[in-house]
Amino acid sequence: MLEGRSAKPPIIVACAVAGCFALGGCSNAVELYTGLTEPDANDIVATLSSQRIEATKTSAKQGFVITVPQDEFGPAISLLRTNGLPRSAYAGMGDVFKKDGMISTPTEERARYIYALSQELERTLTGIDGIVMARVHPVLPERLAPGEPVQVASCAVLVKYRPGWDSSLYEDRIRRLVISGIPGLSNAPSNNVSIVFVQADPGLAPPSAVPAPAERSPRGAAQALTVLALVTALAAAVVALCWDWLRPRVRPVLDRQTSRSRKTRRA
């Protein structure tokens, strides 16, 4: 009896340990991006959910973390690149021209000013619905050598847009925006502003309305049922283990009570 009773707990413990490993194996999520701002994290979750890719947003010490199932890592990266997510961090005038106590040369100040100007314009252009990414390369008026004429201002703009976005409706608006935002372009010929439009990968559809939770991912429901079954199995194993430990201690008490009851009836 002792041998049979002592052989059961190791089996139950082994089942419980195996269930724990199986339960841990169900969590196959991998980190997609870390250190995100909350708006970027929300946009990423909404975009992935629109294509039925499960994404989880968690808060960390430095920003937010987005995790996805391991088998959906590749499609998630492709979808986010198509939609220009996460967005680039643009430096404003205040960031570029911080007072750090160091004296800059005129050439350095000019380069920093051009960089800050391009960053401000890129931030403005990416704020237009449908534009995934924008790059602005301004050239300011400059006299290259004494006695030579001043070089005329110009600008090159690259715009990457989502499929279905009509670039012809925005070309003139973008041109006017760039001309008004760069010193010297208002007096330059119109062809000094070159705008190139590039469509994003058409193989992936643009974000649509987020589907209902019931339709979002059958895989999620299957994983939830698997986890529930494993938790139930672990709970049953723990109960069986506790009962196997308590039974030899409780049984003598029950036998004594039964013996007392029989003596009382005989009396």
Side-chain angles (χ1 to χ4, degrees):
M1 293 297 293
L2 291 176
E3 293 179 358
R5 190 163 54 241
S6 61
K8 291 181 180 179
I11 297 176
I12 298 176
V13 171
C15 293
V17 172
C20 289
F21 279 108
L23 183 61
C26 291
S27 177
N28 60 344
V30 294
E31 291 185 354
L32 190 65
Y33 285 105
T34 60
L36 296 170
T37 62
E38 188 167 12
D40 277 347
N42 291 337
D43 290 341
I44 288 175
V45 172
T47 301
L48 295 178
S49 298
S50 69
Q51 300 300 319
R52 295 188 172 93
I53 297 178
E54 292 185 6
T56 304
K57 181 186 77 171
T58 55
S59 178
K61 292 182 178 180
Q62 297 180 350
F64 289 84
V65 179
I66 300 296
T67 56
V68 295
Q70 188 173 7
D71 57 344
E72 293 181 338
F73 182 84
I77 289 291
S78 299
L79 179 62
L80 294 178
R81 284 179 179 174
T82 299
N83 291 279
L85 294 172
R87 295 182 178 86
S88 301
Y90 297 104
M93 290 286 187
D95 299 324
V96 176
F97 291 96
K98 288 183 178 179
K99 293 183 179 180
D100 52 9
M102 299 183 65
I103 300 176
S104 302
T105 64
T107 302
E108 292 175 341
E109 289 292 327
R110 181 181 177 84
R112 293 168 65 184
Y113 175 69
I114 293 175
Y115 174 74
L117 191 62
S118 65
Q119 289 283 287
E120 293 286 357
L121 287 172
E122 289 173 8
R123 191 208 304 265
T124 302
L125 291 176
T126 52
I128 300 175
D129 292 338
I131 294 181
V132 175
M133 180 269 293
R135 293 290 181 266
V136 180
H137 304 278
V139 177
L140 300 183
E142 183 181 11
R143 192 182 301 275
L144 299 178
E148 292 186 1
V150 177
Q151 181 181 355
V152 183
S154 62
C155 185
V157 181
L158 173 65
V159 175
K160 184 178 181 181
Y161 60 92
R162 294 193 181 103
W165 189 74
D166 192 354
S167 60
S168 61
L169 298 177
Y170 290 87
E171 184 173 1
D172 290 339
R173 302 177 186 178
I174 293 175
R175 189 181 303 276
R176 290 197 300 268
L177 177 65
V178 172
I179 290 174
S180 301
I182 297 179
L185 270 183
S186 58
N187 300 325
S190 59
N191 58 1
N192 277 27
V193 178
S194 176
I195 304 176
V196 178
F197 292 96
V198 179
Q199 179 177 295
D201 184 7
L204 295 173
S208 56
V210 178
E215 303 176 353
R216 186 168 295 179
S217 178
R219 186 187 294 106
Q223 289 180 350
L225 291 176
T226 303
V227 171
L228 180 61
L230 288 172
V231 170
T232 304
L234 287 175
V238 171
V239 171
L241 181 62
C242 293
W243 172 245
D244 194 75
W245 181 80
L246 288 173
R247 184 172 55 183
R249 293 163 176 80
V250 175
R251 190 169 182 175
V253 177
L254 295 177
D255 291 341
R256 285 196 297 269
Q257 291 180 350
T258 303
S259 177
R260 291 175 182 175
S261 300
R262 287 176 182 177
K263 291 180 181 181
T264 302
R265 289 176 183 178
R266 291 175 181 177

